[in-house]
mmCIF file of all heavy atoms in Angstrom:
data_model
loop_
_atom_site.group_PDB
_atom_site.id
_atom_site.type_symbol
_atom_site.label_atom_id
_atom_site.label_comp_id
_atom_site.label_asym_id
_atom_site.label_seq_id
_atom_site.Cartn_x
_atom_site.Cartn_y
_atom_site.Cartn_z
ATOM 1 N N ALA A 1 10.065 -7.973 10.491
ATOM 2 C CA ALA A 1 8.685 -8.461 10.559
ATOM 3 C C ALA A 1 7.720 -7.311 10.831
ATOM 4 O O ALA A 1 6.607 -7.287 10.311
ATOM 5 C CB ALA A 1 8.573 -9.530 11.649
ATOM 6 N N ASP A 2 8.147 -6.335 11.657
ATOM 7 C CA ASP A 2 7.316 -5.170 11.926
ATOM 8 C C ASP A 2 7.089 -4.351 10.665
ATOM 9 O O ASP A 2 5.989 -3.827 10.431
ATOM 10 C CB ASP A 2 7.955 -4.287 13.004
ATOM 11 C CG ASP A 2 7.822 -4.880 14.397
ATOM 12 O OD1 ASP A 2 6.972 -5.779 14.584
ATOM 13 O OD2 ASP A 2 8.556 -4.432 15.294
ATOM 14 N N ASP A 3 8.138 -4.200 9.845
ATOM 15 C CA ASP A 3 8.001 -3.464 8.590
ATOM 16 C C ASP A 3 6.951 -4.124 7.692
ATOM 17 O O ASP A 3 6.077 -3.448 7.134
ATOM 18 C CB ASP A 3 9.336 -3.419 7.840
ATOM 19 C CG ASP A 3 10.387 -2.574 8.541
ATOM 20 O OD1 ASP A 3 10.004 -1.639 9.265
ATOM 21 O OD2 ASP A 3 11.581 -2.863 8.358
ATOM 22 N N ILE A 4 7.037 -5.433 7.559
ATOM 23 C CA ILE A 4 6.119 -6.149 6.677
ATOM 24 C C ILE A 4 4.697 -6.080 7.213
ATOM 25 O O ILE A 4 3.736 -5.880 6.455
ATOM 26 C CB ILE A 4 6.578 -7.608 6.506
ATOM 27 C CG1 ILE A 4 7.932 -7.636 5.763
ATOM 28 C CG2 ILE A 4 5.539 -8.432 5.761
ATOM 29 C CD1 ILE A 4 8.564 -9.002 5.690
ATOM 30 N N GLU A 5 4.544 -6.193 8.521
ATOM 31 C CA GLU A 5 3.209 -6.094 9.115
ATOM 32 C C GLU A 5 2.608 -4.715 8.910
ATOM 33 O O GLU A 5 1.432 -4.576 8.561
ATOM 34 C CB GLU A 5 3.284 -6.425 10.610
ATOM 35 C CG GLU A 5 1.956 -6.293 11.357
ATOM 36 C CD GLU A 5 0.941 -7.360 10.956
ATOM 37 O OE1 GLU A 5 1.290 -8.267 10.174
ATOM 38 O OE2 GLU A 5 -0.207 -7.274 11.421
ATOM 39 N N SER A 6 3.412 -3.669 9.103
ATOM 40 C CA SER A 6 2.926 -2.305 8.894
ATOM 41 C C SER A 6 2.513 -2.094 7.445
ATOM 42 O O SER A 6 1.488 -1.459 7.165
ATOM 43 C CB SER A 6 4.013 -1.290 9.276
ATOM 44 O OG SER A 6 4.249 -1.302 10.662
ATOM 45 N N ALA A 7 3.292 -2.625 6.515
ATOM 46 C CA ALA A 7 2.971 -2.473 5.100
ATOM 47 C C ALA A 7 1.685 -3.201 4.750
ATOM 48 O O ALA A 7 0.827 -2.671 4.028
ATOM 49 C CB ALA A 7 4.131 -2.993 4.245
ATOM 50 N N ARG A 8 1.511 -4.410 5.263
ATOM 51 C CA ARG A 8 0.302 -5.170 4.940
ATOM 52 C C ARG A 8 -0.944 -4.528 5.553
ATOM 53 O O ARG A 8 -2.015 -4.513 4.934
ATOM 54 C CB ARG A 8 0.451 -6.623 5.400
ATOM 55 C CG ARG A 8 1.484 -7.401 4.594
ATOM 56 C CD ARG A 8 1.386 -8.886 4.835
ATOM 57 N NE ARG A 8 2.365 -9.625 4.048
ATOM 58 C CZ ARG A 8 2.201 -9.970 2.769
ATOM 59 N NH1 ARG A 8 1.081 -9.626 2.144
ATOM 60 N NH2 ARG A 8 3.136 -10.650 2.132
ATOM 61 N N LEU A 9 -0.823 -3.994 6.749
ATOM 62 C CA LEU A 9 -1.949 -3.292 7.357
ATOM 63 C C LEU A 9 -2.320 -2.059 6.551
ATOM 64 O O LEU A 9 -3.508 -1.771 6.339
ATOM 65 C CB LEU A 9 -1.610 -2.901 8.801
ATOM 66 C CG LEU A 9 -1.663 -4.012 9.840
ATOM 67 C CD1 LEU A 9 -1.119 -3.520 11.175
ATOM 68 C CD2 LEU A 9 -3.082 -4.531 10.014
ATOM 69 N N ALA A 10 -1.309 -1.314 6.113
ATOM 70 C CA ALA A 10 -1.577 -0.114 5.317
ATOM 71 C C ALA A 10 -2.266 -0.471 4.011
ATOM 72 O O ALA A 10 -3.193 0.226 3.570
ATOM 73 C CB ALA A 10 -0.274 0.640 5.058
ATOM 74 N N LEU A 11 -1.838 -1.561 3.372
ATOM 75 C CA LEU A 11 -2.483 -1.989 2.140
ATOM 76 C C LEU A 11 -3.940 -2.368 2.386
ATOM 77 O O LEU A 11 -4.830 -2.018 1.601
ATOM 78 C CB LEU A 11 -1.726 -3.171 1.534
ATOM 79 C CG LEU A 11 -0.387 -2.850 0.876
ATOM 80 C CD1 LEU A 11 0.339 -4.138 0.478
ATOM 81 C CD2 LEU A 11 -0.592 -1.971 -0.353
ATOM 82 N N ALA A 12 -4.197 -3.062 3.482
ATOM 83 C CA ALA A 12 -5.570 -3.451 3.790
ATOM 84 C C ALA A 12 -6.456 -2.230 4.011
ATOM 85 O O ALA A 12 -7.597 -2.177 3.545
ATOM 86 C CB ALA A 12 -5.590 -4.356 5.026
ATOM 87 N N GLU A 13 -5.922 -1.219 4.708
ATOM 88 C CA GLU A 13 -6.700 -0.018 4.983
ATOM 89 C C GLU A 13 -7.027 0.758 3.716
ATOM 90 O O GLU A 13 -8.034 1.470 3.651
ATOM 91 C CB GLU A 13 -5.954 0.867 5.983
ATOM 92 C CG GLU A 13 -5.957 0.289 7.388
ATOM 93 C CD GLU A 13 -4.960 0.973 8.300
ATOM 94 O OE1 GLU A 13 -4.434 2.020 7.917
ATOM 95 O OE2 GLU A 13 -4.717 0.426 9.393
ATOM 96 N N CYS A 14 -6.186 0.632 2.703
ATOM 97 C CA CYS A 14 -6.404 1.336 1.432
ATOM 98 C C CYS A 14 -7.102 0.458 0.407
ATOM 99 O O CYS A 14 -7.081 0.753 -0.796
ATOM 100 C CB CYS A 14 -5.069 1.845 0.887
ATOM 101 S SG CYS A 14 -4.335 3.139 1.901
ATOM 102 N N ASP A 15 -7.726 -0.623 0.878
ATOM 103 C CA ASP A 15 -8.482 -1.527 0.017
ATOM 104 C C ASP A 15 -7.583 -2.148 -1.039
ATOM 105 O O ASP A 15 -7.960 -2.286 -2.203
ATOM 106 C CB ASP A 15 -9.653 -0.775 -0.637
ATOM 107 C CG ASP A 15 -10.711 -1.707 -1.208
ATOM 108 O OD1 ASP A 15 -10.784 -2.863 -0.764
ATOM 109 O OD2 ASP A 15 -11.456 -1.274 -2.112
ATOM 110 N N LEU A 16 -6.382 -2.543 -0.614
ATOM 111 C CA LEU A 16 -5.392 -3.104 -1.531
ATOM 112 C C LEU A 16 -4.831 -4.426 -1.010
ATOM 113 O O LEU A 16 -3.731 -4.828 -1.387
ATOM 114 C CB LEU A 16 -4.240 -2.109 -1.732
ATOM 115 C CG LEU A 16 -4.578 -0.813 -2.457
ATOM 116 C CD1 LEU A 16 -3.461 0.211 -2.245
ATOM 117 C CD2 LEU A 16 -4.788 -1.056 -3.949
ATOM 118 N N GLY A 17 -5.587 -5.071 -0.145
ATOM 119 C CA GLY A 17 -5.078 -6.283 0.487
ATOM 120 C C GLY A 17 -4.689 -7.384 -0.486
ATOM 121 O O GLY A 17 -3.797 -8.187 -0.211
ATOM 122 N N GLU A 18 -5.340 -7.424 -1.662
ATOM 123 C CA GLU A 18 -5.054 -8.471 -2.641
ATOM 124 C C GLU A 18 -4.021 -8.035 -3.686
ATOM 125 O O GLU A 18 -3.777 -8.755 -4.649
ATOM 126 C CB GLU A 18 -6.356 -8.868 -3.356
ATOM 127 C CG GLU A 18 -7.473 -9.311 -2.419
ATOM 128 C CD GLU A 18 -7.084 -10.511 -1.570
ATOM 129 O OE1 GLU A 18 -6.450 -11.436 -2.141
ATOM 130 O OE2 GLU A 18 -7.386 -10.525 -0.372
ATOM 131 N N PHE A 19 -3.433 -6.852 -3.475
ATOM 132 C CA PHE A 19 -2.551 -6.285 -4.498
ATOM 133 C C PHE A 19 -1.068 -6.468 -4.184
ATOM 134 O O PHE A 19 -0.232 -6.004 -4.946
ATOM 135 C CB PHE A 19 -2.829 -4.784 -4.653
ATOM 136 C CG PHE A 19 -4.048 -4.457 -5.466
ATOM 137 C CD1 PHE A 19 -5.310 -4.856 -5.065
ATOM 138 C CD2 PHE A 19 -3.936 -3.746 -6.650
ATOM 139 C CE1 PHE A 19 -6.433 -4.558 -5.802
ATOM 140 C CE2 PHE A 19 -5.056 -3.433 -7.406
ATOM 141 C CZ PHE A 19 -6.312 -3.852 -6.976
ATOM 142 N N ALA A 20 -0.713 -7.107 -3.095
ATOM 143 C CA ALA A 20 0.673 -7.117 -2.625
ATOM 144 C C ALA A 20 1.661 -7.598 -3.681
ATOM 145 O O ALA A 20 2.771 -7.062 -3.795
ATOM 146 C CB ALA A 20 0.802 -7.963 -1.361
ATOM 147 N N THR A 21 1.289 -8.586 -4.476
ATOM 148 C CA THR A 21 2.227 -9.151 -5.441
ATOM 149 C C THR A 21 2.067 -8.564 -6.837
ATOM 150 O O THR A 21 2.825 -8.928 -7.754
ATOM 151 C CB THR A 21 2.057 -10.677 -5.525
ATOM 152 O OG1 THR A 21 0.711 -10.992 -5.921
ATOM 153 C CG2 THR A 21 2.352 -11.328 -4.182
ATOM 154 N N ARG A 22 1.122 -7.640 -7.013
ATOM 155 C CA ARG A 22 0.958 -6.991 -8.315
ATOM 156 C C ARG A 22 2.114 -6.041 -8.576
ATOM 157 O O ARG A 22 2.718 -5.478 -7.654
ATOM 158 C CB ARG A 22 -0.361 -6.203 -8.333
ATOM 159 C CG ARG A 22 -1.620 -7.041 -8.269
ATOM 160 C CD ARG A 22 -2.068 -7.507 -9.623
ATOM 161 N NE ARG A 22 -2.373 -6.374 -10.496
ATOM 162 C CZ ARG A 22 -3.558 -5.756 -10.523
ATOM 163 N NH1 ARG A 22 -4.546 -6.139 -9.717
ATOM 164 N NH2 ARG A 22 -3.753 -4.754 -11.365
ATOM 165 N N LEU A 23 2.449 -5.826 -9.843
ATOM 166 C CA LEU A 23 3.519 -4.907 -10.202
ATOM 167 C C LEU A 23 2.964 -3.492 -10.343
ATOM 168 O O LEU A 23 1.871 -3.284 -10.879
ATOM 169 C CB LEU A 23 4.180 -5.339 -11.510
ATOM 170 C CG LEU A 23 4.949 -6.666 -11.473
ATOM 171 C CD1 LEU A 23 5.485 -6.987 -12.859
ATOM 172 C CD2 LEU A 23 6.077 -6.611 -10.444
ATOM 173 N N MET A 24 3.740 -2.519 -9.887
ATOM 174 C CA MET A 24 3.301 -1.129 -9.916
ATOM 175 C C MET A 24 3.002 -0.657 -11.335
ATOM 176 O O MET A 24 2.076 0.119 -11.557
ATOM 177 C CB MET A 24 4.356 -0.221 -9.284
ATOM 178 C CG MET A 24 4.498 -0.372 -7.781
ATOM 179 S SD MET A 24 3.028 0.164 -6.874
ATOM 180 C CE MET A 24 3.011 1.922 -7.226
ATOM 181 N N ASN A 25 3.789 -1.101 -12.314
ATOM 182 C CA ASN A 25 3.589 -0.636 -13.682
ATOM 183 C C ASN A 25 2.419 -1.316 -14.373
ATOM 184 O O ASN A 25 2.133 -1.037 -15.534
ATOM 185 C CB ASN A 25 4.869 -0.821 -14.512
ATOM 186 C CG ASN A 25 5.317 -2.259 -14.595
ATOM 187 O OD1 ASN A 25 4.960 -3.069 -13.750
ATOM 188 N ND2 ASN A 25 6.091 -2.585 -15.616
ATOM 189 N N GLU A 26 1.704 -2.181 -13.644
ATOM 190 C CA GLU A 26 0.515 -2.827 -14.191
ATOM 191 C C GLU A 26 -0.774 -2.269 -13.603
ATOM 192 O O GLU A 26 -1.863 -2.723 -13.960
ATOM 193 C CB GLU A 26 0.576 -4.340 -13.952
ATOM 194 C CG GLU A 26 1.718 -5.033 -14.665
ATOM 195 C CD GLU A 26 1.803 -6.510 -14.339
ATOM 196 O OE1 GLU A 26 1.089 -6.962 -13.404
ATOM 197 O OE2 GLU A 26 2.591 -7.205 -15.003
ATOM 198 N N LEU A 27 -0.650 -1.280 -12.715
ATOM 199 C CA LEU A 27 -1.819 -0.741 -12.025
ATOM 200 C C LEU A 27 -2.398 0.449 -12.777
ATOM 201 O O LEU A 27 -1.711 1.136 -13.526
ATOM 202 C CB LEU A 27 -1.442 -0.298 -10.608
ATOM 203 C CG LEU A 27 -0.817 -1.341 -9.687
ATOM 204 C CD1 LEU A 27 -0.563 -0.725 -8.315
ATOM 205 C CD2 LEU A 27 -1.703 -2.571 -9.568
ATOM 206 N N SER A 28 -3.665 0.719 -12.521
ATOM 207 C CA SER A 28 -4.289 1.925 -13.051
ATOM 208 C C SER A 28 -3.813 3.129 -12.251
ATOM 209 O O SER A 28 -3.207 2.990 -11.174
ATOM 210 C CB SER A 28 -5.808 1.818 -12.952
ATOM 211 O OG SER A 28 -6.224 1.868 -11.590
ATOM 212 N N GLY A 29 -4.107 4.320 -12.755
ATOM 213 C CA GLY A 29 -3.698 5.528 -12.043
ATOM 214 C C GLY A 29 -4.313 5.616 -10.650
ATOM 215 O O GLY A 29 -3.640 5.994 -9.686
ATOM 216 N N GLY A 30 -5.576 5.268 -10.534
ATOM 217 C CA GLY A 30 -6.223 5.308 -9.225
ATOM 218 C C GLY A 30 -5.652 4.294 -8.263
ATOM 219 O O GLY A 30 -5.504 4.573 -7.071
ATOM 220 N N GLU A 31 -5.331 3.096 -8.773
ATOM 221 C CA GLU A 31 -4.734 2.078 -7.913
ATOM 222 C C GLU A 31 -3.365 2.515 -7.428
ATOM 223 O O GLU A 31 -3.019 2.333 -6.252
ATOM 224 C CB GLU A 31 -4.651 0.753 -8.674
ATOM 225 C CG GLU A 31 -6.000 0.105 -8.911
ATOM 226 C CD GLU A 31 -5.956 -1.009 -9.941
ATOM 227 O OE1 GLU A 31 -4.944 -1.104 -10.686
ATOM 228 O OE2 GLU A 31 -6.923 -1.776 -10.029
ATOM 229 N N ARG A 32 -2.564 3.097 -8.322
ATOM 230 C CA ARG A 32 -1.245 3.590 -7.905
ATOM 231 C C ARG A 32 -1.376 4.676 -6.852
ATOM 232 O O ARG A 32 -0.575 4.741 -5.908
ATOM 233 C CB ARG A 32 -0.461 4.102 -9.118
ATOM 234 C CG ARG A 32 0.038 3.013 -10.052
ATOM 235 C CD ARG A 32 1.132 3.529 -10.981
ATOM 236 N NE ARG A 32 0.679 4.637 -11.798
ATOM 237 C CZ ARG A 32 0.092 4.497 -12.982
ATOM 238 N NH1 ARG A 32 -0.152 3.291 -13.470
ATOM 239 N NH2 ARG A 32 -0.274 5.552 -13.678
ATOM 240 N N GLN A 33 -2.376 5.548 -6.997
ATOM 241 C CA GLN A 33 -2.573 6.620 -6.019
ATOM 242 C C GLN A 33 -2.859 6.049 -4.632
ATOM 243 O O GLN A 33 -2.364 6.543 -3.630
ATOM 244 C CB GLN A 33 -3.727 7.525 -6.471
ATOM 245 C CG GLN A 33 -3.862 8.809 -5.676
ATOM 246 C CD GLN A 33 -2.801 9.834 -6.036
ATOM 247 O OE1 GLN A 33 -1.903 9.562 -6.829
ATOM 248 N NE2 GLN A 33 -2.891 11.009 -5.463
ATOM 249 N N ARG A 34 -3.632 4.991 -4.573
ATOM 250 C CA ARG A 34 -3.927 4.369 -3.280
ATOM 251 C C ARG A 34 -2.688 3.681 -2.701
ATOM 252 O O ARG A 34 -2.487 3.676 -1.483
ATOM 253 C CB ARG A 34 -5.074 3.362 -3.427
ATOM 254 C CG ARG A 34 -6.430 4.033 -3.558
ATOM 255 C CD ARG A 34 -7.538 3.017 -3.494
ATOM 256 N NE ARG A 34 -7.695 2.310 -4.750
ATOM 257 C CZ ARG A 34 -7.976 1.018 -4.871
ATOM 258 N NH1 ARG A 34 -8.081 0.263 -3.783
ATOM 259 N NH2 ARG A 34 -8.126 0.461 -6.056
ATOM 260 N N VAL A 35 -1.847 3.118 -3.583
ATOM 261 C CA VAL A 35 -0.608 2.496 -3.098
ATOM 262 C C VAL A 35 0.314 3.559 -2.505
ATOM 263 O O VAL A 35 0.969 3.334 -1.476
ATOM 264 C CB VAL A 35 0.099 1.728 -4.231
ATOM 265 C CG1 VAL A 35 1.446 1.190 -3.739
ATOM 266 C CG2 VAL A 35 -0.772 0.579 -4.724
ATOM 267 N N VAL A 36 0.377 4.734 -3.132
ATOM 268 C CA VAL A 36 1.206 5.821 -2.597
ATOM 269 C C VAL A 36 0.705 6.236 -1.216
ATOM 270 O O VAL A 36 1.497 6.493 -0.298
ATOM 271 C CB VAL A 36 1.219 7.015 -3.571
ATOM 272 C CG1 VAL A 36 1.954 8.205 -2.958
ATOM 273 C CG2 VAL A 36 1.897 6.628 -4.878
ATOM 274 N N LEU A 37 -0.619 6.313 -1.028
ATOM 275 C CA LEU A 37 -1.152 6.619 0.298
ATOM 276 C C LEU A 37 -0.787 5.522 1.287
ATOM 277 O O LEU A 37 -0.412 5.814 2.434
ATOM 278 C CB LEU A 37 -2.669 6.785 0.233
ATOM 279 C CG LEU A 37 -3.351 7.008 1.593
ATOM 280 C CD1 LEU A 37 -2.887 8.315 2.230
ATOM 281 C CD2 LEU A 37 -4.868 6.996 1.457
ATOM 282 N N ALA A 38 -0.865 4.260 0.855
ATOM 283 C CA ALA A 38 -0.503 3.159 1.747
ATOM 284 C C ALA A 38 0.949 3.267 2.194
ATOM 285 O O ALA A 38 1.273 3.017 3.363
ATOM 286 C CB ALA A 38 -0.753 1.820 1.050
ATOM 287 N N ARG A 39 1.840 3.646 1.280
ATOM 288 C CA ARG A 39 3.247 3.817 1.660
ATOM 289 C C ARG A 39 3.395 4.929 2.704
ATOM 290 O O ARG A 39 4.159 4.802 3.666
ATOM 291 C CB ARG A 39 4.106 4.129 0.443
ATOM 292 C CG ARG A 39 5.586 4.270 0.787
ATOM 293 C CD ARG A 39 6.468 4.478 -0.416
ATOM 294 N NE ARG A 39 6.197 5.741 -1.107
ATOM 295 C CZ ARG A 39 6.931 6.200 -2.115
ATOM 296 N NH1 ARG A 39 7.955 5.498 -2.557
ATOM 297 N NH2 ARG A 39 6.630 7.336 -2.685
ATOM 298 N N ALA A 40 2.642 6.025 2.531
ATOM 299 C CA ALA A 40 2.705 7.118 3.504
ATOM 300 C C ALA A 40 2.206 6.645 4.866
ATOM 301 O O ALA A 40 2.795 6.964 5.907
ATOM 302 C CB ALA A 40 1.877 8.300 3.010
ATOM 303 N N ILE A 41 1.133 5.879 4.881
ATOM 304 C CA ILE A 41 0.588 5.365 6.139
ATOM 305 C C ILE A 41 1.570 4.411 6.806
ATOM 306 O O ILE A 41 1.743 4.426 8.032
ATOM 307 C CB ILE A 41 -0.767 4.685 5.886
ATOM 308 C CG1 ILE A 41 -1.820 5.732 5.528
ATOM 309 C CG2 ILE A 41 -1.212 3.870 7.098
ATOM 310 C CD1 ILE A 41 -3.144 5.148 5.105
ATOM 311 N N ALA A 42 2.225 3.580 6.010
ATOM 312 C CA ALA A 42 3.148 2.587 6.558
ATOM 313 C C ALA A 42 4.346 3.217 7.256
ATOM 314 O O ALA A 42 4.988 2.575 8.088
ATOM 315 C CB ALA A 42 3.629 1.651 5.449
ATOM 316 N N THR A 43 4.659 4.463 6.944
ATOM 317 C CA THR A 43 5.783 5.118 7.620
ATOM 318 C C THR A 43 5.496 5.388 9.086
ATOM 319 O O THR A 43 6.414 5.621 9.871
ATOM 320 C CB THR A 43 6.115 6.465 6.948
ATOM 321 O OG1 THR A 43 5.031 7.381 7.157
ATOM 322 C CG2 THR A 43 6.384 6.294 5.461
ATOM 323 N N ASN A 44 4.195 5.386 9.482
ATOM 324 C CA ASN A 44 3.778 5.785 10.824
ATOM 325 C C ASN A 44 4.072 7.251 11.124
ATOM 326 O O ASN A 44 4.125 7.649 12.295
ATOM 327 C CB ASN A 44 4.405 4.903 11.910
ATOM 328 C CG ASN A 44 3.743 3.536 11.992
ATOM 329 O OD1 ASN A 44 2.748 3.284 11.318
ATOM 330 N ND2 ASN A 44 4.306 2.658 12.797
ATOM 331 N N ALA A 45 4.291 8.055 10.090
ATOM 332 C CA ALA A 45 4.494 9.486 10.304
ATOM 333 C C ALA A 45 3.214 10.103 10.871
ATOM 334 O O ALA A 45 2.103 9.702 10.518
ATOM 335 C CB ALA A 45 4.859 10.166 8.988
ATOM 336 N N ARG A 46 3.386 11.098 11.725
ATOM 337 C CA ARG A 46 2.224 11.708 12.375
ATOM 338 C C ARG A 46 1.647 12.872 11.585
ATOM 339 O O ARG A 46 0.591 13.388 11.937
ATOM 340 C CB ARG A 46 2.594 12.167 13.787
ATOM 341 C CG ARG A 46 2.879 11.000 14.706
ATOM 342 C CD ARG A 46 2.698 11.385 16.165
ATOM 343 N NE ARG A 46 2.760 10.204 17.008
ATOM 344 C CZ ARG A 46 1.734 9.392 17.230
ATOM 345 N NH1 ARG A 46 0.574 9.640 16.652
ATOM 346 N NH2 ARG A 46 1.869 8.344 18.004
ATOM 347 N N ILE A 47 2.328 13.299 10.540
ATOM 348 C CA ILE A 47 1.803 14.364 9.695
ATOM 349 C C ILE A 47 1.734 13.839 8.261
ATOM 350 O O ILE A 47 2.724 13.329 7.729
ATOM 351 C CB ILE A 47 2.675 15.629 9.751
ATOM 352 C CG1 ILE A 47 2.677 16.223 11.159
ATOM 353 C CG2 ILE A 47 2.183 16.676 8.749
ATOM 354 C CD1 ILE A 47 3.605 17.405 11.331
#
């Protein structure tokens, strides 16, 4: 549950809150770039 919560928060912060069920291969290049940032944020890495 913590993993899913962290992922959803990261998506919201990257202005992707409505994108959770979209497929990656259907996104534009800019949208994919924001999803990659969201994944980095969701790791909780400090760097």
Side-chain angles (χ1 to χ4, degrees):
D2 285 343
D3 292 332
I4 294 173
E5 177 69 5
S6 292
R8 291 194 179 277
L9 283 172
L11 286 173
E13 288 166 12
C14 293
D15 197 22
L16 293 165
E18 304 301 318
F19 281 62
T21 59
R22 293 274 299 275
L23 294 177
M24 290 294 294
N25 60 338
E26 296 176 350
L27 303 182
S28 69
E31 290 166 345
R32 288 197 301 272
Q33 191 75 356
R34 285 188 282 142
V35 175
V36 174
L37 176 64
R39 182 176 65 173
I41 290 173
T43 67
N44 284 354
R46 292 203 171 277
I47 296 175

